[in-house]
């Protein structure tokens, strides 16, 4: 089957988050001036008034306090008008009691979606895929997820990786497979012979060999 192959610039992990100004359900936002000293989770959904998106947005809304506890602000986005966003927010609140109490970008001109590689034309030409950008307080992109239209994301995983990034930054450690809060963390692998000897001789609760050593925080 013919595939559209376009050369587009996609943001990558470690890049500065591309700046933008956008209209949202909470007023205008300029990313570079938004949520100073906080983390931002910027996520897109394909369309308002669709089932998977409704479950996902409700997931973000009901767990907003957990994001706040991690010093994190949420920003949603889809290629819908502000009127559609308002009607959808109101409809979900009326039907389920869940209120999407965070800004949702009305990216009707696709400016932000294109800037963040959320438009992936072989999946959909008109809707953003399910992207999640984890942006740190220095406005650097630290982790990116892309999901297709038909598969919803996992809120536990979104919160897990957000916490993992913060624990890694705060403690200079790495996190193993399936790490969750309270689990042991990985001491960074040695970069010289002295560090290697320290890993070999050190009193650590878990050690496979000098290159895989775990400690408690
Ligand atoms: C949904 O959210 O259910 C959905 C949206 C766009 C395409 C397919 C599914």
């Amino acid at each position: 089957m013919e595939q559209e192959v376009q050369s587009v610039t996609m943001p990558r992990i470690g890049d500065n988050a591309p700046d933008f100004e956008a209209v949202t359900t909470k007023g205008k936002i300029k990313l570079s001036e938004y949520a100073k000293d906080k983390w931002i989770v910027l996520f897109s959904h394909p369309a308002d008034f669709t089932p998977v998106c409704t479950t996902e947005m409700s997931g973000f809304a009901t767990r907003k306090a957990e994001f706040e506890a991690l010093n994190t602000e949420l920003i949603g986005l889809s290629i819908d008008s502000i009127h559609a966003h308002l009607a959808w927010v109101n409809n979900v609140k009326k039907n389920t009691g869940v209120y999407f109490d965070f800004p949702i970008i009305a990216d009707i001109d696709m400016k932000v979606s294109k800037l963040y590689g959320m438009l992936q034309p072989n999946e959909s030409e008109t809707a953003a895929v399910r992207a999640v950008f984890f942006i740190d307080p220095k406005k650097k992109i630290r982790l990116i997820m892309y999901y297709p239209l038909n598969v919803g994301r996992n809120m536990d995983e979104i919160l897990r990786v957000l916490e993992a990034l913060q624990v890694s930054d705060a403690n200079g450690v790495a996190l193993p497979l399936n790490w969750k809060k309270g689990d042991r963390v990985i001491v960074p692998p040695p970069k010289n012979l002295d560090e290697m000897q320290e890993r070999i001789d050190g009193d650590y609760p878990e050690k496979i060999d000098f290159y895989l050593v775990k400690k408690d925080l």
Side-chain angles (χ1 to χ4, degrees):
M1 201 171 43
E2 275 284 297
Q3 289 269 303
E4 184 182 336
V5 182
Q6 277 184 354
S7 115
V8 283
T9 313
M10 307 271 283
R12 292 168 298 190
I13 292 174
D15 290 355
N16 292 324
D19 198 17
F20 60 80
E21 270 185 58
V23 171
T24 85
T25 50
K26 296 265 192 178
K28 272 198 180 156
I29 278 183
K30 182 170 169 62
L31 186 77
S32 55
E33 288 163 13
Y34 188 71
K36 288 241 160 78
D37 301 322
K38 290 187 172 190
W39 286 71
I40 294 171
V41 170
L42 169 66
F43 58 97
S44 53
H45 67 271
D48 297 349
F49 291 100
T50 52
V52 178
C53 298
T54 303
T55 63
E56 290 189 313
M57 293 295 274
S58 301
F60 280 108
T62 53
R63 299 189 70 176
K64 185 173 170 238
E66 291 171 70
F67 287 98
E68 283 169 353
L70 293 170
N71 190 35
T72 301
E73 294 287 331
L74 298 171
I75 306 177
L77 174 151
S78 75
I79 301 165
D80 287 290
S81 70
I82 197 71
H83 311 292
H85 282 347
L86 297 179
W88 187 39
V89 171
N90 186 50
N91 182 276
V92 174
K93 186 177 174 203
K94 201 175 64 189
N95 282 306
T96 70
V98 176
Y99 184 48
F100 302 163
D101 190 14
F102 46 78
I104 307 170
I105 296 171
D107 196 33
I108 199 81
D109 58 4
M110 305 187 188
K111 211 174 64 189
V112 183
S113 323
K114 285 182 180 161
L115 203 54
Y116 277 79
M118 293 163 170
L119 262 176
Q120 306 201 359
N122 292 312
E123 177 70 354
S124 170
E125 291 197 340
T126 52
V129 296
R130 303 179 193 282
V132 191
F133 287 83
F134 297 78
I135 300 171
D136 74 14
K138 293 187 177 136
K139 297 284 191 285
K140 222 176 241 314
I141 295 173
R142 300 293 302 281
L143 195 150
I144 302 171
M145 297 173 170
Y146 288 116
Y147 276 55
L149 298 194
N150 284 328
V151 179
R153 288 158 283 198
N154 182 309
M155 203 54 62
D156 290 333
E157 176 63 0
I158 290 170
L159 282 155
R160 186 191 77 89
V161 295
L162 177 61
E163 184 148 38
L165 286 165
Q166 296 183 0
V167 166
S168 174
D169 283 4
N171 300 282
V173 294
L175 292 319
L177 173 77
N178 295 336
W179 177 88
K180 59 185 182 331
K181 193 176 183 184
D183 288 354
R184 286 182 180 147
V185 300
I186 292 176
V187 180
K191 288 193 272 314
N192 55 49
L193 289 169
D194 284 348
E195 284 184 9
M196 184 174 77
Q197 201 57 48
E198 190 279 330
R199 304 294 192 273
I200 292 166
D201 297 336
D203 184 20
Y204 291 105
E206 206 176 322
K207 198 185 299 187
I208 301 297
D209 209 322
F210 68 89
Y211 62 88
L212 177 44
V213 173
K214 290 189 189 173
K215 67 175 185 179
D216 294 304
L217 279 183

